[in-house]
PDB file of all heavy atoms in Angstrom:
ATOM      1  N   ILE B 338       9.936  23.205 -88.665  1.00 94.00           N
ATOM      2  CA  ILE B 338       9.847  24.381 -87.827  1.00 94.00           C
ATOM      3  C   ILE B 338       9.967  25.653 -88.649  1.00 94.00           C
ATOM      4  O   ILE B 338       9.304  26.665 -88.316  1.00 94.00           O
ATOM      5  CB  ILE B 338      10.939  24.286 -86.777  1.00 94.00           C
ATOM      6  CG1 ILE B 338      10.534  23.181 -85.701  1.00 94.00           C
ATOM      7  CG2 ILE B 338      11.169  25.600 -86.081  1.00 94.00           C
ATOM      8  CD1 ILE B 338      11.553  23.003 -84.600  1.00 94.00           C
ATOM      9  N   ASP B 339      10.682  25.569 -89.779  1.00 92.00           N
ATOM     10  CA  ASP B 339      10.720  26.681 -90.713  1.00 92.00           C
ATOM     11  C   ASP B 339       9.296  26.936 -91.205  1.00 92.00           C
ATOM     12  O   ASP B 339       8.787  28.122 -91.253  1.00 92.00           O
ATOM     13  CB  ASP B 339      11.622  26.391 -91.890  1.00 92.00           C
ATOM     14  CG  ASP B 339      13.041  26.853 -91.579  1.00 92.00           C
ATOM     15  OD1 ASP B 339      13.327  27.366 -90.462  1.00 92.00           O
ATOM     16  OD2 ASP B 339      13.877  26.666 -92.486  1.00 92.00           O
ATOM     17  N   ILE B 340       8.616  25.902 -91.640  1.00 91.00           N
ATOM     18  CA  ILE B 340       7.299  26.008 -92.148  1.00 91.00           C
ATOM     19  C   ILE B 340       6.365  26.630 -91.075  1.00 91.00           C
ATOM     20  O   ILE B 340       5.532  27.539 -91.362  1.00 91.00           O
ATOM     21  CB  ILE B 340       6.718  24.657 -92.598  1.00 91.00           C
ATOM     22  CG1 ILE B 340       7.490  24.122 -93.823  1.00 91.00           C
ATOM     23  CG2 ILE B 340       5.261  24.689 -92.913  1.00 91.00           C
ATOM     24  CD1 ILE B 340       7.126  22.761 -94.223  1.00 91.00           C
ATOM     25  N   LEU B 341       6.488  26.131 -89.906  1.00 89.00           N
ATOM     26  CA  LEU B 341       5.660  26.607 -88.759  1.00 89.00           C
ATOM     27  C   LEU B 341       5.946  28.068 -88.527  1.00 89.00           C
ATOM     28  O   LEU B 341       5.008  28.849 -88.278  1.00 89.00           O
ATOM     29  CB  LEU B 341       5.970  25.807 -87.517  1.00 89.00           C
ATOM     30  CG  LEU B 341       4.977  24.666 -87.160  1.00 89.00           C
ATOM     31  CD1 LEU B 341       4.163  24.183 -88.269  1.00 89.00           C
ATOM     32  CD2 LEU B 341       5.737  23.530 -86.466  1.00 89.00           C
ATOM     33  N   GLY B 342       7.145  28.424 -88.559  1.00 80.00           N
ATOM     34  CA  GLY B 342       7.560  29.840 -88.255  1.00 80.00           C
ATOM     35  C   GLY B 342       7.022  30.733 -89.351  1.00 80.00           C
ATOM     36  O   GLY B 342       6.616  31.846 -89.036  1.00 80.00           O
ATOM     37  N   ALA B 343       6.969  30.262 -90.575  1.00 64.00           N
ATOM     38  CA  ALA B 343       6.476  31.139 -91.667  1.00 64.00           C
ATOM     39  C   ALA B 343       4.966  31.272 -91.602  1.00 64.00           C
ATOM     40  O   ALA B 343       4.360  32.070 -92.297  1.00 64.00           O
ATOM     41  CB  ALA B 343       6.878  30.518 -93.055  1.00 64.00           C
ATOM     42  N   THR B 344       4.355  30.438 -90.775  1.00 47.00           N
ATOM     43  CA  THR B 344       2.886  30.434 -90.669  1.00 47.00           C
ATOM     44  C   THR B 344       2.437  31.550 -89.786  1.00 47.00           C
ATOM     45  O   THR B 344       2.773  31.663 -88.652  1.00 47.00           O
ATOM     46  CB  THR B 344       2.449  29.126 -90.107  1.00 47.00           C
ATOM     47  OG1 THR B 344       2.837  27.999 -90.947  1.00 47.00           O
ATOM     48  CG2 THR B 344       0.904  29.106 -90.001  1.00 47.00           C
ATOM     49  N   LYS B 345       1.567  32.363 -90.338  1.00 37.00           N
ATOM     50  CA  LYS B 345       0.956  33.399 -89.483  1.00 37.00           C
ATOM     51  C   LYS B 345      -0.461  32.961 -89.105  1.00 37.00           C
ATOM     52  O   LYS B 345      -1.440  33.437 -89.538  1.00 37.00           O
ATOM     53  CB  LYS B 345       0.861  34.721 -90.291  1.00 37.00           C
ATOM     54  CG  LYS B 345       2.153  35.275 -90.811  1.00 37.00           C
ATOM     55  CD  LYS B 345       2.910  35.989 -89.657  1.00 37.00           C
ATOM     56  CE  LYS B 345       4.140  36.710 -90.239  1.00 37.00           C
ATOM     57  NZ  LYS B 345       4.883  37.373 -89.170  1.00 37.00           N
ATOM     58  N   GLY B 346      -0.454  32.009 -88.281  1.00 40.00           N
ATOM     59  CA  GLY B 346      -1.736  31.434 -87.849  1.00 40.00           C
ATOM     60  C   GLY B 346      -2.525  30.906 -89.049  1.00 40.00           C
ATOM     61  O   GLY B 346      -2.109  31.146 -90.188  1.00 40.00           O
ATOM     62  N   PRO B 347      -3.484  30.060 -88.767  1.00 39.00           N
ATOM     63  CA  PRO B 347      -4.243  29.497 -89.856  1.00 39.00           C
ATOM     64  C   PRO B 347      -4.960  30.614 -90.536  1.00 39.00           C
ATOM     65  O   PRO B 347      -5.434  31.557 -89.910  1.00 39.00           O
ATOM     66  CB  PRO B 347      -5.239  28.536 -89.200  1.00 39.00           C
ATOM     67  CG  PRO B 347      -5.257  28.931 -87.753  1.00 39.00           C
ATOM     68  CD  PRO B 347      -3.947  29.658 -87.501  1.00 39.00           C
ATOM     69  N   PRO B 348      -5.205  30.635 -91.864  1.00 34.00           N
ATOM     70  CA  PRO B 348      -4.778  29.598 -92.732  1.00 34.00           C
ATOM     71  C   PRO B 348      -3.280  29.603 -93.007  1.00 34.00           C
ATOM     72  O   PRO B 348      -2.637  30.685 -93.036  1.00 34.00           O
ATOM     73  CB  PRO B 348      -5.537  29.850 -94.035  1.00 34.00           C
ATOM     74  CG  PRO B 348      -5.704  31.316 -94.040  1.00 34.00           C
ATOM     75  CD  PRO B 348      -5.919  31.696 -92.605  1.00 34.00           C
ATOM     76  N   LEU B 349      -2.698  28.492 -93.252  1.00 36.00           N
ATOM     77  CA  LEU B 349      -1.242  28.347 -93.410  1.00 36.00           C
ATOM     78  C   LEU B 349      -0.816  28.986 -94.762  1.00 36.00           C
ATOM     79  O   LEU B 349      -1.371  28.733 -95.808  1.00 36.00           O
ATOM     80  CB  LEU B 349      -0.923  26.897 -93.403  1.00 36.00           C
ATOM     81  CG  LEU B 349       0.587  26.532 -93.603  1.00 36.00           C
ATOM     82  CD1 LEU B 349       1.265  26.967 -92.356  1.00 36.00           C
ATOM     83  CD2 LEU B 349       0.717  25.071 -93.803  1.00 36.00           C
ATOM     84  N   ARG B 350       0.195  29.761 -94.627  1.00 37.00           N
ATOM     85  CA  ARG B 350       0.746  30.335 -95.832  1.00 37.00           C
ATOM     86  C   ARG B 350       1.690  29.355 -96.541  1.00 37.00           C
ATOM     87  O   ARG B 350       2.717  29.026 -95.962  1.00 37.00           O
ATOM     88  CB  ARG B 350       1.534  31.619 -95.524  1.00 37.00           C
ATOM     89  CG  ARG B 350       0.824  32.924 -95.955  1.00 37.00           C
ATOM     90  CD  ARG B 350       1.795  34.049 -95.854  1.00 37.00           C
ATOM     91  NE  ARG B 350       3.182  33.650 -95.892  1.00 37.00           N
ATOM     92  CZ  ARG B 350       4.155  34.343 -95.297  1.00 37.00           C
ATOM     93  NH1 ARG B 350       3.881  35.391 -94.568  1.00 37.00           N
ATOM     94  NH2 ARG B 350       5.417  33.886 -95.380  1.00 37.00           N
TER      95      ARG B 350
END
Side-chain angles (χ1 to χ4, degrees):
Chain B
I338 289 179
D339 271 1
I340 292 175
L341 260 21
T344 300
K345 301 282 189 181
L349 181 69
R350 251 192 25 209

